[in-house]
């Protein structure tokens, strides 16, 4: 009995180790003392029933008390350690945090969405059409004359006699006019193909956004206002725009819209070739022949249409000199825009 | 199209500011791409008059000149080495301190002991030509001391206009000047030709029926003469002309000029051509080129002596007929091409290029001068077929002014006679079997207001249109508008409305947003589906890529491009994964190890029935660390493995093809497939074999066809209020038994009480029989209505275990 009480007294000393123990040491102490089979206290308690009744009570009480003390001390230390793990005291807070991979949309997708969202606020929904098109949709219904230079095979990729990869998203104008009655207000994003060798400023494949509005009484003023509003929302509210004559078979009057150069703010720089302007989109009032080709009365209805290149707009806005970067998919390039461009 | 500022000034009779011209043209006519100043580096050079020429005291070949350069200090002494210096004449003079082209800065210096104050310059020293044998003698009335560039027409601006395909009238100076007159004010008048006199007589109709000249008609108002029979042949000055292909050449004029002397052109003429970048050749060719760039009338002069049989025949080429064009190449012709022939053979491919052996040469004395209108489509097809284009073909393709031909020919004759001598003994022959009138279009002023959104006064409409050559007459409340023949682009009312708008200026119209009606077109479901997939994959930490849809074939049903840019890019992609794999290899080449890319793009397949089937595909590639390394966790984190792929695939399928199930692939394929309800496979995922560097992590890929069906709406389940009962179950699975089978049996046998059933461990080794494996599940039991008793849970689990042992031979693991 004496030896057991002495052993208990010895164990009690070890209580002092607990407040200093780290997580690992604490775990060891717990096993050493309170372990289910080999724990020192467990073994003492295991011998209590073999003692004579007079000692049994004394030793049992002392051992149980010590067990509770240990349990309490260990629990207290465990709480303390847990608190310390969530505390920043003594840490170098300049060390890097723990990250997860960050995904992101392609820059061109972001610009397409941004443009389409602005037009959505102006009442335009998103429409799409096939990339392999017939000559009728790609050219003739759009009022291209039969021997227009754009029909030269060297400018388009042909898949068959009367099947080519669309050279613009304009065929969807025709598909939309054939399928839905006016009023029509759509933007048409999509991939288009031109037979240009891949170089810093040309890609045989690129993204285009077409737009079309057709209704009774749509005028040149509506056309200018809608596109100028877009430009001021896409760039800045004080961006100046100008419209100047141009030529497209499917619009009349036709216009090119320029915005004030975003780099020099109109003063003139190398990017804008000292003009102070950047060409943003080709546009115009829908040619009456296009409406007629789709069975829409050109006397009753009028409208406007435009087309623009989001990749080129992104290049101008972000100072990207080489269009091939958009297709190389270098993760260092893609990751730069992963957080969004605005 | 390059135009010269000075040339425009000559037509408009007023000075012009090149920048202002560029701005007005851009805003009202056509975009100006560039304004290039010519000889801006001659600003320091002055006009100097040589008063006296003495021999240099110390050098035989040098002379000592007293030069009046207008300076306040009186004449200066200049040493000159040119043999042609003469007292009383005027030369370019560069004073001390002047900088010459090439950067040479003149200093006062002694030449053979005599001080020279500047220099008299040769053409070469001024960058004006190659002539350096003598100094440049000037013919100018400008007083000594005037700036050279002000006195001599070398300083100029080239204005580079991006002429749209529908505006051939802008391919000449007169046409551009006409537009400028309309927006700047003023009138266009052809400048008189130095030493020229309008040729006598008019033009002759076919046969001998002479036809009155149409001289003296103001620009923009010419009437075609009435048709006078379908005459298609005639004789002019002994040359027989036969128009056998009036379809290819609806109007054909020929003049014969005899006794010309082919020589270099006078300075004013070479100056005009040089100012627009054209190389002078000889006086006859230069004269025809001048008319081309002044009036947009291509002319062809050829040597009468070199014609076989003094005949000019306009006919379709015979099959296989050959001609050696000016560029020295032999061309084989077809009957789709119009040719100009002599009695025997073709000498010119009409409107495109002449032959070397009919061309004007220094020996030429008698000229045949052709002024024609060739059918635009015919010329375009010929040009394309022969892959041969010229300034003339460019203009004929776009359509020239058929009614302006007599004026152009008359001016050409006047110019040739003025610069090369010779005489016109008979009026030109004009073969025009079906004369045409200017077309008339009706314009409604209220339609102008309707389409432009702003009323434009009829007076303004008339003023604007008249200024560029239209002729207006009111008729029944509308305006009958006669369209000048140089405007083939104007064919209907809306074209005239565009004319009004652009001449008024697009900027003159307000840009106020007016109310609009909402459209009838719903958002395309494709676009919604693509957006949903893109957002979902971005949330998984993937970067969106865009790859080229052109590449090598990918299976027998790849779509072939008939006219590819290169053999490697002759097919449309059938899947996105091959393209994405190449992008992974590209990133590996840039030493990037952690790559997670996805693409949402169109793919194509050859289809029997329809020529091409296209649809949207969704694909992703994964390789490298599962997440970015952190310093607290040591250097290396685990790389993504097949289980990362499975999760990405399941999510991608859920996003792109809702309702499809992901199942292990069968038939020797590794990975998984996405299967539609009908059993059709719409997606695949698995490890990929790529050209990987040794340090690269394993590469995985997935691809699934985008379905346009929306996802089923989310069904909400109320949150449970009863506590769950948890059990961990370690099972031993015989070989061939899958986790999915165990799950199915357990679920069925236990019933709805089994709420969740998650694998938390797999184990092979000691304690597990060979060919078996241990798999541990964490099970949650719950009854939504009441708290389960322990005994109920144990009984339910025992039911499940019994079924597992029965059906699959799966037993609970001992111990
Ligand atoms: Zn700028």
């Amino acid at each position: 009995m004496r030896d057991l009480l002495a052993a208990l007294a010895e164990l009690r000393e070890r209580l002092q180790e607990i407040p200093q123990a780290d997580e690992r040491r604490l775990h060891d102490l717990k096993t050493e003392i309170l372990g289910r089979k080999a724990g020192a206290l467990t073994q003492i308690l295991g011998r209590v029933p073999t003692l004579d009744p007079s000692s049994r009570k004394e030793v049992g009480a002392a051992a149980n008390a010590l067990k509770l003390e240990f349990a309490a001390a260990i629990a207290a230390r465990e709480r303390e350690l847990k608190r310390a793990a969530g505390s920043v005291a003594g840490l170098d807070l300049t060390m890097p945090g723990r990250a997860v991979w960050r995904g992101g949309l392609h820059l061109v997708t972001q610009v397409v969405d941004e443009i389409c969202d602005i037009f959505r606020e102006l009442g335009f929904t998103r429409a799409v059409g096939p990339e392999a098109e017939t000559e009728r949709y790609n050219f003739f219904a759009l009022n291209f004359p039969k021997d227009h230079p754009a029909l030269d095979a060297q400018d388009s990729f042909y898949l068959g006699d009367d099947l080519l990869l669309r050279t613009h998203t304009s065929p969807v104008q025709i598909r939309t006019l054939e399928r839905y009655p006016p009023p029509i207000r759509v933007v048409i994003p999509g991939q288009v193909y031109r037979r240009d060798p891949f170089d810093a400023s040309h890609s045989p494949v690129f993204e285009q956004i077409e737009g079309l509005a057709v209704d009774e009484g749509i005028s040149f003023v509506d056309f200018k206002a809608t596109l100028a509003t877009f430009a001021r929302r896409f760039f800045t509210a004080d961006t100046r725009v100008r419209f100047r004559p141009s030529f497209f078979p499917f619009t009349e009057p036709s216009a090119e819209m320029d915005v004030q150069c975003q780099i020099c703010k109109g003063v003139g720089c190398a990017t804008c070739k000292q003009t102070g302007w950047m060409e943003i989109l080709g546009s115009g009032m829908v040619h009456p022949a296009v409406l007629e080709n789709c069975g829409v009365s050109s006397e009753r209805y009028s409208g406007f249409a435009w087309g623009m290149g989001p990749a080129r707009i992104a290049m101008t806005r972000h100072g990207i000199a080489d269009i091939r970067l958009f297709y190389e998919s270098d993760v260092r390039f893609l990751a730069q825009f992963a957080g969004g461009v605005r | 199209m390059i135009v010269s500022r000075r040339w425009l000034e000559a037509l408009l009779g007023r000075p012009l500011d090149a920048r202002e011209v560029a701005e007005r043209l851009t805003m009202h006519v056509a975009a100006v791409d560039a304004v290039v100043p010519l000889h801006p580096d001659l600003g320091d050079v002055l006009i100097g008059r040589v008063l006296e020429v003495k021999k240099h005291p110390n050098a035989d070949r040098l002379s000592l000149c007293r030069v009046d350069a207008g300076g306040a200090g009186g004449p200066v002494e200049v040493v000159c080495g040119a043999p042609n210096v003469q007292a009383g004449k005027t030369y370019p003079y560069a004073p001390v301190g002047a900088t010459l082209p090439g950067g040479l800065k003149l200093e006062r210096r002694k030449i053979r002991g005599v001080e020279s104050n500047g220099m008299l310059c040769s053409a070469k020293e001024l960058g004006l030509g190659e002539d350096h044998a003598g100094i440049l003698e000037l013919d100018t009335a400008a007083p000594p001391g005037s700036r050279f560039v002000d006195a001599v027409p070398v300083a100029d601006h080239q204005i580079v206009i991006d002429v749209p395909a529908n505006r051939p009238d802008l391919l000449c100076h007169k046409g551009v000047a006409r537009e400028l007159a309309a927006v700047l004010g003023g009138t266009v008048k052809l400048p008189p030709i130095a030493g020229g006199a309008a040729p006598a007589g008019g033009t002759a109709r076919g046969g001998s029926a002479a036809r009155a000249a149409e001289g003296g008609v103001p620009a923009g108002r010419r009437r075609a003469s009435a048709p006078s029979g379908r005459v298609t042949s005639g004789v002019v000055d002994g040359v027989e002309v036969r128009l056998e292909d009036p379809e290819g050449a609806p109007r054909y004029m020929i003049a014969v000029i005899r006794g010309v002397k082919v020589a270099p052109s006078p300075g004013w003429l070479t100056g005009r051509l040089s100012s627009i970048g054209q190389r002078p050749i000889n006086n006859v060719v230069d004269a025809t080129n001048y008319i081309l760039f002044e009036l947009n009338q291509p002319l062809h002069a050829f040597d009468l002596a070199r014609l076989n049989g003094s005949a000019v025949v306009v006919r379709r080429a015979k099959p296989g007929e050959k001609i050696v064009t000016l560029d020295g190449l032999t061309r084989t012709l077809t009957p789709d091409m119009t040719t100009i022939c002599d009695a025997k053979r073709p000498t010119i491919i009409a409107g495109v290029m002449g032959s070397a052996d009919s061309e004007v040469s220094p020996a030429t004395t008698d000229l045949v001068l052709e002024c024609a209108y060739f059918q635009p489509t015919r010329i375009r097809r010929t040009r394309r077929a022969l892959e041969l284009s010229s300034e003339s073909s460019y203009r004929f393709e776009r359509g020239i002014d058929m009614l302006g031909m007599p004026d152009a020919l008359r001016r050409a004759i006047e110019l040739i006679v003025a610069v090369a001598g010779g005489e016109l003994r008979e009026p030109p022959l004009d073969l025009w079997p079906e004369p045409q009138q200017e077309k008339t279009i009706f314009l409604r002023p209220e339609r102008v207001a309707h389409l432009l959104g702003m009323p434009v006064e009829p007076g303004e409409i008339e003023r604007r249109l008249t200024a560029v050559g239209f002729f207006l007459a009111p008729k029944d409340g509308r305006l009958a508008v006669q369209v000048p023949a140089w405007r083939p682009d104007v064919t209907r009312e809306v074209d005239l409305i565009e004319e009004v708008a652009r001449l008024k200026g697009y900027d003159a119209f307000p840009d106020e947003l007016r109310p609009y009606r909402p459209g009838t077109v719903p958002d395309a479901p494709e676009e919604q589906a693509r957006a949903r997939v893109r957002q979902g994959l971005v949330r998984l930490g993937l970067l969106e890529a865009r790859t080229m849809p052109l590449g090598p074939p990918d299976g027998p049903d790849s779509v072939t491009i008939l006219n590819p840019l290169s053999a490697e890019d002759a097919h449309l992609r059938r899947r996105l994964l091959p393209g994405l794999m190449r992008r992974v290899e590209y990133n590996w080449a840039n030493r990037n190890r952690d790559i997670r890319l996805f693409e949402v793009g169109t793919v194509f397949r050859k289809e029997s029935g329809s020529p091409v089937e296209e649809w949207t595909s969704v694909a992703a590639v994964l390789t490298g660390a599962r997440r970015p390394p952190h310093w607290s966790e040591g250097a290396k984190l685990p790389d993504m493995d097949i289980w990362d792929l499975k999760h990405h695939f399941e999510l991608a399928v859920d996003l792109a093809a809702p309702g499809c199930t992901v199942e292990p692939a069968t038939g020797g394929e590794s990975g998984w497939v996405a299967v539609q309800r009908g059993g059709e496979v719409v997606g695949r995922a698995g490890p990929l074999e790529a050209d990987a560097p040794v340090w690269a992590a394993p590469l995985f890929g997935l691809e699934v066809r985008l379905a346009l069906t929306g996802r089923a709406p989310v069904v909400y389940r109320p949150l449970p209020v009863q506590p769950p009962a948890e059990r961990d179950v370690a099972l031993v699975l015989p070989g061939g038994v899958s986790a999915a089978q165990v799950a199915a049996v357990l679920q069925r046998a236990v019933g709805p009480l089994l709420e969740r059933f998650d694998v938390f461990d797999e184990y092979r080794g000691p304690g597990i029989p060979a060919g078996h494996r241990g798999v541990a599940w964490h099970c949650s039991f719950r009854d939504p209505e009441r708290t389960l008793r322990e005994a109920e849970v144990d009984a339910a689990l025992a039911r499940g275990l019994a079924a597992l042992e029965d059906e699959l031979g799966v037993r609970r693991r001992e111990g």
Side-chain angles (χ1 to χ4, degrees):
Chain A
M1 177 200 153
R2 288 282 147 222
D3 55 331
L4 287 182
L5 288 175
L8 283 174
E10 212 171 288
L11 272 180
R12 175 173 294 282
E13 294 296 304
R14 304 195 62 184
L15 269 174
Q16 290 157 26
E17 290 175 34
I18 290 172
Q20 280 82 46
D22 64 12
E23 211 171 320
R24 190 173 191 86
R25 179 81 193 116
L26 194 66
H27 179 80
D28 291 349
L29 277 172
K30 203 171 165 181
T31 322
E32 237 171 81
I33 294 162
L34 301 177
R36 278 209 312 180
K37 281 178 180 162
L41 252 180
T42 316
Q43 289 193 343
I44 292 172
L45 278 166
R47 285 173 58 193
V48 168
T50 65
L51 298 175
D52 58 80
S54 58
S55 325
R56 197 186 295 169
K57 194 173 182 188
E58 189 186 346
V59 175
N64 273 319
L66 190 58
K67 186 181 175 184
L68 288 175
E69 272 182 80
F70 265 105
I74 288 170
R77 181 60 184 155
E78 275 173 349
R79 275 196 302 277
E80 210 172 277
L81 285 171
K82 204 167 270 175
R83 254 203 315 280
S87 130
V88 296
L91 297 183
D92 174 0
L93 297 183
T94 67
M95 294 285 273
R98 190 175 285 110
V100 294
W101 294 125
R102 185 175 202 187
L105 292 175
H106 194 279
L107 175 57
V108 169
T109 306
Q110 295 188 49
V111 173
V112 168
D113 286 347
E114 196 179 337
I115 291 170
C116 291
D117 286 350
I118 291 171
F119 280 109
R120 178 177 301 283
E121 290 166 17
L122 295 166
F124 291 81
T125 49
R126 278 170 92 142
V128 291
E131 293 178 18
E133 269 293 6
T134 62
E135 288 189 324
R136 177 178 123 72
Y137 282 105
N138 197 71
F139 295 123
F140 303 135
L142 288 160
N143 198 36
F144 279 76
K146 287 273 182 207
D147 55 354
H148 190 275
L151 273 68
D152 280 7
Q154 61 253 32
D155 299 326
S156 328
F157 289 115
Y158 273 83
L159 306 176
D161 268 350
D162 180 26
L163 193 70
L164 70 158
L165 292 168
R166 64 180 177 191
T167 57
H168 44 193
T169 38
S170 316
V172 189
Q173 284 191 27
I174 305 298
R175 291 182 176 277
T176 305
L177 282 167
E178 284 179 345
R179 186 163 167 202
Y180 297 96
I184 284 170
R185 288 177 88 84
V186 288
V187 280
I188 305 151
Q191 201 143 257
V192 303
Y193 300 75
R194 302 263 167 98
R195 206 166 163 274
D196 285 328
F198 212 3
D199 64 27
S201 46
H202 299 90
S203 168
V205 181
F206 56 96
E207 190 77 14
Q208 198 178 50
I209 298 180
E210 187 93 359
L212 175 71
V214 172
D215 197 3
E216 290 170 7
I218 290 191
S219 75
F220 194 72
V221 170
D222 300 308
F223 152 65
K224 275 189 70 178
T226 307
L227 293 183
T229 303
F230 157 73
R232 289 191 285 259
R233 291 193 189 167
F234 185 81
F235 295 103
T236 55
D238 60 352
T239 294
R240 291 194 301 135
V241 299
R242 71 174 189 183
F243 291 81
R244 53 185 173 78
S246 189
F247 168 65
F248 306 102
F250 40 102
T251 50
E252 189 84 9
S254 297
E256 208 84 45
M257 184 175 85
D258 297 341
V259 301
Q260 192 179 33
C261 175
Q262 297 296 299
I263 291 164
C264 64
K265 290 287 161 204
V267 181
C269 67
T271 306
C272 60
K273 288 197 256 165
Q274 307 305 329
T275 61
W277 297 96
M278 296 186 323
E279 201 176 302
I280 291 298
L281 53 86
S283 56
M285 300 297 290
V286 178
H287 198 291
V290 172
L291 297 174
E292 290 154 13
N293 290 340
C294 301
V296 175
S297 162
S298 63
E299 272 299 298
R300 181 169 168 198
Y301 293 105
S302 53
F304 58 88
W306 73 92
M308 59 184 145
R312 202 153 293 285
I313 291 175
M315 288 170 79
T316 333
R317 193 164 73 177
H318 298 281
I320 297 164
D322 194 328
I323 199 168
R324 286 171 293 197
L325 281 162
F326 289 127
Y327 296 95
E328 275 168 2
S329 308
D330 190 316
V331 292
R332 297 166 301 177
F333 177 84
L334 300 176
Q336 285 187 43
F337 302 100
V341 291
R342 271 280 152 109
Chain B
M1 169 73 191
I2 296 173
V3 294
S4 143
R5 169 180 55 83
R6 279 186 181 266
W7 199 332
L8 294 174
E9 284 174 346
L11 285 160
L12 285 163
R14 53 170 287 183
L16 295 169
D17 177 79
R19 295 250 144 239
E20 190 189 3
V21 167
E23 201 268 338
R24 293 301 180 99
L25 288 177
T26 297
M27 294 310 288
H28 294 279
V29 185
V32 169
D33 285 342
V35 174
V36 184
L38 294 181
H39 307 298
D41 43 10
L42 293 178
D44 293 344
V45 179
L46 306 175
I47 300 295
R49 182 192 300 278
V50 174
L51 303 175
E52 190 185 353
V53 181
K54 291 189 296 189
K55 284 219 90 64
H56 190 290
N58 306 323
D60 283 350
R61 295 216 185 128
L62 299 180
S63 42
L64 206 55
C65 308
R66 249 181 2 108
V67 177
D68 175 6
V76 293
E77 292 262 286
V78 177
V79 175
C80 178
N84 64 332
V85 64
Q86 279 180 52
K89 297 231 163 155
T90 305
Y91 304 97
Y93 163 71
V96 169
T99 304
L100 290 181
L104 174 70
K105 193 170 156 75
L106 286 183
E107 288 164 15
R108 181 176 287 112
R109 63 185 186 110
K110 283 192 172 173
I111 299 171
R112 293 289 191 102
V114 179
E115 190 159 273
S116 183
N117 297 287
M119 70 185 273
L120 298 169
C121 308
S122 69
K124 188 171 187 184
E125 281 156 343
L126 298 182
L128 296 176
E130 288 307 301
D131 188 1
H132 58 105
I135 51 178
L136 182 63
E137 193 180 311
L138 301 177
D139 176 21
T140 173
S146 313
R147 273 167 30 112
F148 174 76
V149 289
D150 297 334
V152 182
V154 294
D156 198 347
H157 288 89
Q158 288 187 342
I159 299 163
V160 185
I161 308 174
D162 181 9
V163 176
N166 66 333
R167 290 293 305 272
D169 60 305
L170 299 177
L171 295 171
C172 68
H173 284 79
K174 186 183 179 187
V176 174
R178 183 189 297 125
E179 296 283 331
L180 279 175
V183 295
L184 288 170
T187 50
V188 179
K189 193 161 172 274
L190 297 185
I193 290 167
T203 50
R205 289 295 292 179
S208 57
R211 178 164 162 257
E214 352 167 349
V217 184
R221 206 75 337 262
R222 294 152 315 153
R223 292 232 138 264
S225 51
S228 64
R230 303 173 144 266
V231 181
T232 55
S233 66
V235 177
V236 57
D237 201 356
V239 178
E240 190 198 349
V241 184
R242 289 204 310 272
L243 177 55
E244 294 179 357
D245 180 15
E247 189 195 329
R251 188 174 196 181
Y252 195 75
M253 299 180 75
I254 285 285
V256 176
I257 305 174
R258 294 188 186 263
V260 299
K261 190 167 182 305
V262 177
S265 296
W268 74 265
L269 181 53
T270 58
R272 280 275 181 265
L273 293 175
S274 304
S275 71
I276 56 167
Q278 293 293 318
R279 192 169 54 89
I281 294 167
N282 61 47
N283 48 11
V284 172
V285 175
D286 293 350
T288 59
N289 278 338
Y290 178 90
I291 300 299
L292 175 78
F293 291 109
E294 185 182 67
L295 301 176
N296 196 33
Q297 174 63 58
L299 297 156
H300 201 98
F302 45 105
D303 190 336
L304 178 56
R306 294 163 84 172
L307 289 186
N308 289 301
S310 268
V312 176
V313 182
V314 184
R315 61 164 169 83
R316 287 173 179 270
K318 295 168 185 160
E321 219 164 13
K322 289 189 164 52
I323 184 170
V324 180
T325 42
L326 263 180
D327 51 14
L329 296 176
T330 304
R331 314 276 179 172
T332 306
L333 309 178
T334 70
D336 292 336
M337 303 170 182
T338 304
T339 54
I340 314 302
C341 311
D342 57 21
K344 289 184 176 158
R345 64 202 164 122
T347 58
I348 303 172
I349 304 168
V352 180
M353 196 174 273
S355 64
D357 53 8
S358 68
E359 218 51 28
V360 170
S361 73
T364 304
T365 57
D366 296 341
L367 293 178
V368 178
L369 184 60
E370 169 202 278
C371 176
Y373 180 99
F374 294 116
Q375 213 271 321
T377 314
R378 183 75 63 84
I379 299 297
R380 178 167 304 132
R381 290 183 184 151
T382 304
R383 187 258 301 161
R384 266 194 235 162
L386 297 175
E387 293 180 352
L388 178 66
S389 64
S390 62
E391 291 282 357
S392 297
S393 69
Y394 189 81
R395 286 166 168 77
F396 283 127
E397 268 189 46
R398 285 158 177 77
I400 60 158
D401 176 7
M402 196 190 282
L403 303 188
M405 288 167 56
D407 289 343
L409 180 57
R410 189 176 308 111
R411 188 160 167 89
I413 294 165
E414 185 188 352
L415 180 54
I416 290 172
V417 171
V419 299
E423 67 169 322
L424 183 81
R425 299 198 304 207
E426 281 183 21
L429 185 70
D430 185 354
L431 299 178
W432 198 14
E434 290 182 50
Q436 294 177 19
Q437 304 283 340
E438 289 176 334
K439 56 184 176 280
T440 298
I441 297 171
F442 288 97
L443 176 64
R444 295 163 294 173
E446 71 278 7
R447 186 72 187 169
V448 177
H450 183 78
L451 206 63
L452 297 183
M454 185 175 111
V456 182
E457 289 301 311
E460 184 180 351
I461 293 175
E462 176 159 11
R463 196 175 77 248
R464 302 249 177 235
L465 292 177
T466 306
V468 289
F470 294 90
F471 182 79
L472 280 71
K475 195 174 180 190
D476 311 330
R478 300 181 299 174
L479 295 164
V481 182
Q482 260 184 46
V483 181
W486 63 76
R487 290 299 301 274
D489 60 311
V490 177
T491 59
R492 51 191 293 177
E493 186 182 40
V494 70
D495 300 323
L496 293 169
I497 296 175
E498 177 180 64
E499 290 296 294
V500 172
R502 74 172 177 91
L503 291 167
K504 188 175 173 64
Y506 288 175
D507 280 351
F509 294 85
D511 61 5
E512 64 193 39
L513 268 182
R514 295 173 179 173
Y516 58 85
R517 298 198 290 173
T520 57
V521 187
D523 263 318
E526 292 94 327
E527 283 292 282
Q528 293 174 327
R530 286 178 196 134
R532 180 182 73 217
V533 169
R534 284 185 169 119
Q535 284 159 11
L537 294 176
V538 163
R539 275 199 297 271
L540 275 177
L542 271 58
L543 292 165
E544 188 189 8
R546 283 177 175 244
T547 66
M548 275 287 136
L550 313 173
D554 179 20
D557 54 356
S558 292
V559 176
T560 312
I561 295 169
L562 300 182
N563 56 338
L565 281 167
S566 70
E568 306 88 74
D569 292 329
H571 293 83
L572 287 171
R573 62 185 174 192
R574 164 94 180 61
R575 299 179 294 154
L576 299 177
L577 266 184
L580 282 175
M581 276 170 70
R582 284 199 289 276
R583 298 342 295 163
V584 170
E585 287 161 4
Y586 177 86
N587 278 292
W588 277 336
N590 285 317
R591 307 206 67 77
N592 280 305
R593 189 175 181 278
D594 304 321
I595 306 158
R596 301 156 317 282
L597 299 174
F598 78 94
E599 181 167 13
V600 179
T602 310
V603 295
F604 304 81
R605 184 172 69 182
K606 234 184 272 176
E607 260 297 279
S608 53
S610 75
V612 170
E613 188 196 3
E614 62 175 85
W615 67 91
T616 303
S617 191
V618 176
V621 283
L622 307 167
T623 180
R626 194 167 289 153
R627 53 189 177 82
H630 191 251
W631 49 270
S632 67
E633 295 155 319
K636 185 110 165 61
L637 272 172
D639 283 330
M640 282 187 281
D641 61 18
I642 197 85
W643 304 112
D644 294 281
L645 172 67
K646 186 178 186 192
H647 177 66
H648 281 82
F649 188 48
E650 284 169 337
L651 279 168
V653 169
D654 185 45
L655 289 163
C660 290
T661 54
V662 169
E663 294 168 9
T666 54
E669 277 184 82
S670 55
W672 296 270
V673 289
V675 184
Q676 243 174 9
R677 251 183 270 284
E680 195 196 344
V681 171
V682 295
R684 286 172 200 285
L688 297 176
E689 290 299 327
D691 186 8
V694 285
W695 45 261
L699 174 65
F700 304 96
L702 64 92
E703 179 151 6
V704 56
R705 181 177 177 142
L706 182 71
L708 297 188
T709 47
R711 290 206 283 182
V714 172
V715 180
Y716 166 71
R717 281 189 309 250
L719 300 183
V721 288
Q722 304 297 335
E726 322 270 353
R727 294 287 187 279
D728 285 351
V729 189
L731 300 175
V732 179
L733 279 56
V737 173
S738 73
Q741 288 172 299
V742 171
V745 169
L746 207 53
Q747 190 72 68
R748 198 196 61 234
V750 177
L753 285 187
L754 183 58
E755 187 185 60
R756 288 188 57 131
F757 187 67
D758 300 316
V759 173
F760 71 88
D761 193 22
E762 185 189 44
Y763 174 75
R764 290 171 216 259
I768 304 291
H772 290 52
R773 63 190 171 128
V775 180
W777 275 270
H778 182 78
C779 310
S780 252
F781 299 83
R782 196 192 316 253
D783 185 317
E785 304 300 330
R786 60 194 181 83
T787 306
L788 288 174
R789 293 192 311 273
E790 292 294 310
E792 282 178 287
V793 175
D794 291 339
L797 183 56
R799 242 185 359 258
L801 290 171
L804 281 175
E805 176 138 27
D806 248 27
E807 298 177 29
L808 300 172
V810 169
R811 281 174 297 108
R812 194 164 193 171
R813 198 175 151 193
E814 311 292 327

